[in-house]
Amino acid sequence: MLPGYHASEHVLPQKKTATWLRNRGPDNYHTHLVKLESPGLSTSAPETIYLTFISSVLALRGDHVTSQPLVDTDSNSVLCWNGEAWKINGELIDGNDTQLVFQELIEASRYRHDVGESEESRLNDSVARLTNIISNIRGPFAFVFYDGVHRRLYFSRDCLGRRSLLRGQDDHGNLKICSVCDALPGASFEEVECDGVHVIDLSRISLSKDPEGTRSISYEVEVIPWSYGSTDAPRLKNPVAPMNRTSPSTDPPSLSLSSSCVHTLEDELRLSVEVRVRNIPQLGHGNPGTDAKVGVLFSGGLDCTLLARLAHDALPKEESIDLINVAFENPRVAAALKAKNEKVNGNEEMTSIYESCPDRITGRAGHAELQKVCPDRVWRFVAVNVPFQDFTAHRDEVIQLIRPHNTEMDLSIACALYFASRGQGVVTTNDSSDATTTYTTTARVLLSGLGADELFAGYGRHGIAFARKGFQGLIDEIDLDVGRLGKRNLGRDDRVISNWGREARFPFLDEEFVSWATQTPVWERCGFGTAKAKPIPDDDLGQIAENLDSEKKALRLLALKLGMIKTAREKKRAIQFGSRTAKMESGRSKGTQTI
């Protein structure tokens, strides 16, 4: 979506920007224009503000494609919506969620005759009702809503920042709010903060002209913040509970397969996965019952394999699930591997640069374990092999998509997600042979394990924090990680994944699941500081459980409970190292170095 306003004329996106928007929503692309005439603007002479709303649609809800922007002719209100409202007011939403959200917002903006006589009291009542609606939406979203009744522009991301939304402004104050950065050279954009709903009162905009006659706009942005408490001022009720900061008075008991928190974890994660994979329409894309609707961004690691296992229980057995595994030809690694092969094997065939990739090795192992545990499912392992030439050909495109992020680490992570979400690779035609064929996934929904490391202490720095400052240090580190997900990861990742007309869904970042995790004592999520369990004779699983790593131990125990022994033991590995996108061009570059 690309809503914005301008002081002189309607402004349509540059060709490249329009291409990116169409890529994100290949099912529909539409423009709606609004002109606001004074009176109402803060000027002495009649003036006009030009509002341009553009939306593209990736149809993943309901039985038909619903064109956006949505427009209400009675009030002139407009909605550009990018997201999924899984629940509103606690009720699961079937069918098209965008239309329902729009109707709720329109109703909130209407005048109420039983509220005081003043315009101000009516407006305050409308804002209170609107914030109440947004507070009760569960699911990832970014939106722009123009309230035509009160001439107010609302824009926001959900409290976790799971969808991209950027804000840019030129030297004359002309504003663009967009899912991607404008492709114009020098365009300056920043991520919209996940701190609340941002509001611009268009009736209070100031217009001015310089000596050359160029018009400029000045305006104020009010933020209605997310809040945990109640207050008389307008507030959004944060759907994610604050972190449980309790520290144990003694060593907490060891986590085991019989721990109640592991059973609760399974129930909560199952619910989150089920919501995200149910009732996905194909709407002409793929063959019903044979082609995959759901794919998994699959490294073979703990988090993604666990999601694949739970998706198996939620989906009909006849639907295949695509496991998308990406590996890169890193020139430095390729040179070292070639030298090693020549030394050891002489003229024998070299080991594949892709099959020797760490994530390819664990991916193959994870695929084999899923086939063993769930043999009645078609698990399609999609091996995405990216030659260095392809990386260089797409490098500039990725750099533009991830803006305003601009570090080497951003690029290496984004490249892995960019090529994985493209979904073009090879699959084996027969489990008993090495024959392969080219394949592009039909899945438009891609499950991602993002959020598991942050919530369950999966990073190396979590162990360091615990070693230095105990449970309080660990809690502080987790709290910091969860709080900055939207700013550091999610907007950037959404821009590169959605460029292929696919949608990433994050079961570990469901609001209700996150709230359960943040309220659960930290020692029931990971194994740091827990007491050692007494050995149980002849209990092989019990022995395995006791020896699992402390990082994300609750998730490891759940994998073990679901029959995935190898998966439960997998070590954490960053995507840029597992897929070998790190240091593709220079072995001396640092992750924090700007591109």
Side-chain angles (χ1 to χ4, degrees):
M1 58 185 177
L2 198 159
Y5 62 67
H6 197 275
S8 303
E9 60 183 344
H10 290 294
V11 178
L12 298 177
Q14 189 250 16
K15 183 178 179 181
K16 183 63 175 178
T17 308
T19 297
W20 286 335
L21 293 173
R22 291 179 187 273
N23 288 349
R24 293 174 62 86
D27 299 323
N28 183 267
Y29 181 91
H30 190 67
T31 301
H32 179 70
L33 307 177
V34 174
K35 287 199 301 184
L36 292 184
E37 308 282 353
S38 58
L41 301 178
S42 299
T43 57
S44 57
E47 293 285 2
T48 303
I49 290 290
Y50 296 85
L51 304 178
T52 307
F53 298 90
I54 301 171
S55 281
S56 62
V57 174
L58 177 67
L60 290 173
R61 301 290 290 273
D63 58 1
H64 64 281
V65 177
T66 300
S67 177
Q68 286 196 49
L70 295 183
V71 179
D72 178 58
T73 54
D74 292 337
S75 64
N76 294 321
S77 297
V78 183
L79 175 66
C80 296
W81 172 265
N82 172 25
E84 306 288 353
W86 304 122
K87 295 180 181 179
I88 298 180
N89 293 319
E91 297 293 327
L92 281 170
I93 304 303
D94 288 316
N96 190 285
D97 58 322
T98 309
Q99 291 174 316
L100 181 57
V101 169
F102 189 40
Q103 290 305 314
E104 293 276 351
L105 294 176
I106 290 171
E107 182 61 28
S109 66
R110 296 187 192 280
Y111 281 113
R112 296 290 179 92
H113 297 295
D114 56 345
V115 178
E117 296 297 325
S118 72
E119 178 73 17
E120 181 178 0
S121 63
R122 288 178 173 178
L123 175 60
N124 289 340
D125 177 66
S126 172
V127 171
R129 284 183 276 126
L130 186 143
T131 55
N132 182 62
I133 290 165
I134 297 169
S135 295
N136 284 288
I137 294 174
R138 297 294 178 267
F141 62 77
F143 73 86
V144 175
F145 173 62
Y146 169 58
D147 175 0
V149 175
H150 302 101
R151 291 190 170 188
R152 301 185 117 215
L153 195 68
Y154 297 85
F155 57 99
S156 181
R157 302 165 72 190
D158 67 74
C159 65
L160 292 169
R162 290 164 288 182
R163 292 290 177 263
S164 171
L165 195 64
L166 303 165
R167 171 182 162 187
Q169 179 177 305
D170 65 19
D171 293 338
H172 302 292
N174 299 309
L175 174 70
K176 291 180 181 177
I177 306 165
C178 191
S179 299
V180 295
C181 282
D182 197 326
L184 287 171
S188 178
F189 281 79
E190 62 182 8
E191 300 261 14
V192 173
E193 295 286 349
C194 308
D195 54 354
V197 172
H198 299 237
V199 189
I200 299 174
D201 187 343
L202 298 179
S203 67
R204 296 185 178 181
I205 282 179
S206 297
L207 301 177
S208 60
K209 292 183 181 180
D210 63 18
E212 287 76 33
T214 302
R215 301 203 311 170
S216 295
I217 301 176
S218 61
Y219 58 91
E220 293 184 0
V221 179
E222 176 191 358
V223 178
I224 303 172
W226 296 105
S227 175
Y228 293 117
S230 59
T231 177
D232 293 335
R235 289 288 189 274
L236 296 151
K237 184 179 179 181
N238 197 318
V240 174
M243 191 70 62
N244 183 338
R245 307 193 66 85
T246 305
S247 291
S249 55
T250 60
D251 287 349
S254 174
L255 283 173
S256 68
L257 287 168
S258 61
S259 297
S260 61
C261 60
V262 176
H263 296 281
T264 306
L265 165 60
E266 179 179 359
D267 293 341
E268 295 288 341
L269 192 54
R270 279 190 185 280
L271 288 173
S272 180
V273 171
E274 287 170 3
V275 164
R276 283 160 176 78
V277 301
R278 70 187 184 100
N279 299 333
I280 299 171
Q282 287 193 287
L283 297 178
H285 301 279
N287 300 311
T290 57
D291 289 344
K293 296 180 183 179
V294 175
V296 183
L297 296 173
F298 191 75
S299 66
L302 171 64
D303 313 327
C304 60
T305 310
L306 192 52
L307 294 183
R309 173 65 183 83
L310 294 175
H312 165 76
D313 292 340
L315 288 169
K317 296 294 189 296
E318 63 271 15
E319 289 187 19
S320 59
I321 297 177
D322 285 353
L323 307 175
I324 304 171
N325 180 275
V326 63
F328 284 73
E329 178 194 14
N330 187 308
R332 297 179 305 100
V333 178
L337 183 63
K338 181 180 179 181
K340 179 180 178 181
N341 274 274
E342 289 176 347
K343 182 178 180 180
V344 175
N345 300 326
N347 293 324
E348 294 181 16
E349 184 178 351
M350 287 178 59
T351 303
S352 164
I353 183 64
Y354 303 115
E355 291 302 312
S356 67
C357 196
D359 275 4
R360 180 59 50 81
I361 295 170
T362 56
R364 295 282 188 197
H367 176 219
E369 189 158 48
L370 285 168
Q371 289 179 311
K372 179 182 178 180
V373 175
C374 310
D376 51 347
R377 169 80 59 189
V378 174
W379 299 99
R380 188 183 290 112
F381 188 87
V382 185
V384 178
N385 300 326
V386 186
F388 183 68
Q389 184 178 358
D390 279 9
F391 165 80
T392 56
H394 289 261
R395 181 180 185 274
D396 288 345
E397 181 87 347
V398 177
I399 288 173
Q400 291 185 72
L401 285 170
I402 66 176
R403 289 188 304 152
H405 295 267
N406 63 350
T407 69
E408 289 288 347
M409 181 180 290
D410 288 318
L411 177 61
S412 60
I413 294 172
C415 277
L417 294 172
Y418 175 87
F419 284 100
S421 56
R422 183 170 68 166
Q424 296 178 9
V426 294
V427 298
T428 56
T429 54
N430 190 313
D431 288 341
S432 61
S433 74
D434 293 329
T436 61
T437 185
T438 58
Y439 173 81
T440 300
T441 184
T442 55
R444 304 179 103 198
V445 169
L446 303 179
L447 297 182
S448 166
L450 187 67
D453 288 308
E454 288 78 6
L455 289 168
F456 291 85
Y459 292 119
R461 63 176 177 272
H462 292 132
I464 294 172
F466 178 78
R468 289 177 176 172
K469 296 184 178 180
F471 281 107
Q472 283 305 312
L474 177 59
I475 292 168
D476 289 342
E477 194 70 22
I478 292 174
D479 204 8
L480 177 65
D481 282 339
V482 174
R484 64 187 179 187
L485 267 170
K487 195 171 186 67
R488 295 188 70 183
N489 302 74
L490 290 163
R492 175 200 66 200
D493 297 352
D494 178 66
R495 291 191 286 281
V496 294
I497 293 171
S498 297
N499 191 61
W500 299 109
R502 309 190 201 279
E503 178 175 280
R505 294 182 178 174
F506 309 99
F508 288 107
L509 294 180
D510 178 273
E511 292 96 333
E512 292 176 2
F513 182 82
V514 174
S515 292
W516 170 80
T518 57
Q519 286 293 282
T520 298
V522 69
W523 59 87
E524 293 186 358
R525 289 179 270 157
C526 61
F528 295 113
T530 56
K532 292 293 183 182
K534 295 179 181 179
I536 304 173
D538 302 322
D539 183 353
D540 292 340
L541 283 183
Q543 294 290 340
I544 294 171
E546 178 56 34
N547 292 317
L548 292 175
D549 288 347
S550 294
E551 293 87 356
K552 299 187 290 191
K553 189 166 185 179
L555 293 177
R556 296 181 185 281
L557 288 165
L558 177 55
L560 190 63
K561 182 174 182 288
L562 295 172
M564 298 185 295
I565 297 174
K566 184 174 180 59
T567 297
R569 291 167 163 169
E570 280 298 340
K571 303 288 186 181
K572 164 65 183 173
R573 184 170 51 241
I575 186 173
Q576 64 269 34
F577 300 112
S579 63
R580 289 183 173 155
T581 56
K583 304 180 186 296
M584 287 283 282
E585 297 164 293
S586 171
R588 296 182 178 180
S589 63
K590 295 182 179 179
T592 55
Q593 184 176 319
T594 57
I595 301 167

